Amino acid sequence: MTSAPERVLMLLENFTYPQDQRVRREALALLEAGYEVSVICPGTRSQPRHEVISGVRVFRYPAPAGGNGLLGYAWEYGYSLLMTFLLSLRVAFGRGFDVIHLHNPPDFPIMIGMLYKVFGKKIVFDQHDLAPDLYYARFDNKGNRLVHRVLLAFERLSCRLADLVIATNESYKRVEMERCGVTEERIAIVRNGPDLTWVGDIEPDPEVQARAEYILGYLGDIGFHDGVDYLMRALRHLVTDFGRKNFCCVVIGKGDARASAQAIAEELDLGEYVWFTGYLPSVDDVMRYLSAAHICVDPDPSNPFTDRSTMNKMMEYMALARPVVAFDLPEHRVSADRAAVYARANDELDFARRIAELMDDPQRRQEMGSFGRERIASKLAWPYQKDNLIAGYSRLTQ
């Protein structure tokens, strides 16, 4: 690494560190490869403003309140951008950095990257999500067209100014090439592979197991684009159309649509069939709860965002050897293959039907779970992905 940039500054806006698992894995992989790594991100009240975690230097600013509406989001992103820039100056005039690694969403931190590029810094754009498509998905394709065009412009700017663009899958790579004009040699694919070190012989949580004969598991954000409303309506079909009343769906996570999802569950009279746990800060608790599930569910509906995206929850279900029911989306099939059964896209009745079929077929559940676990362990786990990250970084000096 004598000729490679050695100091990396990561900018993260939509989560904190080390709770963002992708950013944590990437930071530690770079650290292991010999880079110095600093991270700037929002922080909770209980987190220190500056600390070193496993060798990664973390600088935090007080997280803003979540924005609602155009003015709310403008305030949230404007405040975060300003605080990130001020902390970047602290790093720049301290130990300094050679590479600025931008984690989206949002794509606005490219404005900070542009400034440092003038001074010879390399830019890495790590595209976790397709921000323009995510925007429309959040608002059920009824978003403001001007806002969408602005997001497209920032996406193109981020991709075109970056010395290295990191995509999470082949679909994102195609978008970066076709929509943003990035040449193939400037793109590295680093998938969201699970870290199998936290998956061992996990004892299922007995209290979760005791809730019903069949436990369904959901893990992840509960945003308006995550399909938990689809899941609630599918569960109602499971009760009324298929006569299943011996199950409990454990919904693990938080998000701005949680209250709405709970209201839908109440309206559909699903109180005894659904348990919203909220956010579980302990990874051990998350694993114990999911390990109690007979079937895991991924209700992301089909749209231009989800059709191209790899869902972390799908990978984590597979790592725990759990069979999955999901809508038939292109990247779902790439990730899960035979580890999932696929309902017709956005068809809630068919989603319920697939759940009922797996309830009645324990042998198939076991075979699907084993296949998914082996697929993760032999192909998709994080060790296979971090090599792609380091290889991409090595190209920065070529």
Side-chain angles (χ1 to χ4, degrees):
M1 278 195 43
T2 56
S3 63
E6 296 182 348
R7 299 167 300 172
V8 179
L9 173 61
M10 292 184 164
L11 306 187
L12 172 64
E13 192 277 337
N14 70 332
F15 209 14
T16 190
Y17 186 94
Q19 282 69 28
D20 190 304
Q21 296 298 310
R22 179 180 175 88
V23 178
R24 180 183 64 82
R25 290 167 190 157
E26 289 184 344
L28 293 178
L30 290 170
L31 197 72
E32 182 183 328
Y35 294 84
E36 290 184 7
V37 182
S38 301
V39 177
I40 295 174
C41 63
T44 65
R45 292 182 179 180
S46 62
Q47 291 177 312
R49 293 291 169 254
H50 177 222
E51 65 176 325
V52 179
I53 304 175
S54 301
V56 178
R57 297 163 64 235
V58 183
F59 300 86
R60 301 187 183 95
Y61 57 88
N68 285 306
L70 187 58
L71 291 179
Y73 285 118
W75 155 250
E76 177 185 350
Y77 293 139
Y79 164 83
S80 298
L81 195 66
L82 175 61
M83 296 302 295
T84 298
F85 173 64
L86 294 176
L87 285 175
S88 76
L89 292 175
R90 176 178 173 179
V91 178
F93 288 103
R95 289 195 176 185
F97 57 89
D98 306 293
V99 178
I100 187 164
H101 187 136
L102 311 176
H103 294 276
N104 94 324
D107 296 338
F108 304 136
I110 190 59
M111 291 189 285
I112 298 175
M114 290 169 60
L115 173 65
Y116 287 113
K117 193 175 181 71
V118 172
F119 295 96
K121 309 303 181 184
K122 300 286 187 178
I123 297 177
V124 174
F125 177 54
D126 199 334
Q127 192 167 32
H128 298 199
D129 291 311
L130 300 174
D133 306 272
L134 175 60
Y135 168 73
Y136 264 159
R138 284 175 61 88
F139 293 98
D140 196 24
N141 292 321
K142 299 175 183 176
N144 184 293
R145 290 186 179 182
L146 176 61
V147 172
H148 185 252
R149 286 198 292 269
V150 169
L151 293 175
L152 281 172
F154 273 98
E155 179 187 71
R156 293 191 187 101
L157 186 65
S158 299
C159 286
R160 291 177 181 178
L161 287 182
D163 299 279
L164 173 68
V165 177
I166 297 177
T168 57
N169 57 38
E170 289 286 349
S171 294
Y172 276 32
K173 179 180 177 179
R174 285 194 296 272
V175 169
E176 290 154 1
M177 294 175 66
E178 296 169 5
R179 190 160 81 186
C180 301
V182 182
T183 56
E184 186 172 14
E185 61 270 16
R186 286 200 293 122
I187 301 174
I189 295 181
V190 182
R191 296 178 65 90
N192 289 320
D195 184 351
L196 293 181
T197 58
W198 49 255
V199 180
D201 295 326
I202 300 171
E203 288 294 325
D205 188 279
E207 293 185 10
V208 175
Q209 285 183 312
R211 284 182 169 265
E213 182 179 354
Y214 293 102
I215 303 298
L216 311 180
Y218 172 92
L219 170 66
D221 291 335
I222 309 176
F224 287 101
H225 60 287
D226 291 304
V228 178
D229 54 333
Y230 283 78
L231 176 60
M232 295 302 105
R233 291 188 289 268
L235 296 180
R236 187 61 198 167
H237 284 302
L238 192 60
V239 174
T240 58
D241 294 86
F242 298 97
R244 305 307 173 100
K245 299 183 179 181
N246 55 347
F247 74 90
C248 177
C249 184
V250 179
V251 180
I252 304 169
K254 65 177 183 178
D256 51 10
R258 179 184 168 187
S260 174
Q262 288 178 299
I264 292 172
E266 183 176 346
E267 179 184 339
L268 296 176
D269 198 23
L270 293 172
E272 63 182 298
Y273 304 109
V274 182
W275 177 33
F276 289 87
T277 70
Y279 173 70
L280 299 179
S282 168
V283 174
D284 290 341
D285 286 342
V286 172
M287 295 302 104
R288 288 190 300 105
Y289 279 34
L290 276 186
S291 293
H294 298 88
I295 301 165
C296 286
V297 291
D298 187 335
D300 286 286
S302 175
N303 57 53
F305 172 68
T306 55
D307 285 352
R308 298 181 176 119
S309 298
T310 300
M311 304 303 172
N312 289 339
K313 64 176 78 71
M314 182 81 79
M315 298 287 202
E316 290 165 350
Y317 298 158
M318 292 163 64
L320 286 170
R322 292 298 178 268
V324 184
V325 174
F327 288 123
D328 195 358
L329 311 185
E331 282 295 332
H332 280 358
R333 285 190 176 271
V334 172
S335 297
D337 196 355
R338 291 187 286 110
V341 292
Y342 303 98
R344 287 187 296 272
N346 304 358
D347 186 330
E348 295 149 351
L349 178 62
D350 198 38
F351 199 97
R353 180 180 293 110
R354 302 304 178 189
I355 293 174
E357 289 173 356
L358 283 187
M359 283 180 169
D360 295 336
D361 197 340
Q363 181 176 347
R364 189 182 183 193
R365 295 201 306 266
Q366 193 278 328
E367 291 172 351
M368 290 171 60
S370 297
F371 175 85
R373 169 69 186 198
E374 176 59 25
R375 183 167 172 78
I376 293 291
S378 64
K379 186 176 182 180
L380 300 176
W382 176 245
Y384 303 102
Q385 310 309 319
K386 72 177 182 180
D387 291 343
N388 296 336
L389 173 69
I390 302 307
Y393 258 76
S394 70
R395 299 203 300 267
L396 288 176
T397 56
Q398 294 179 0

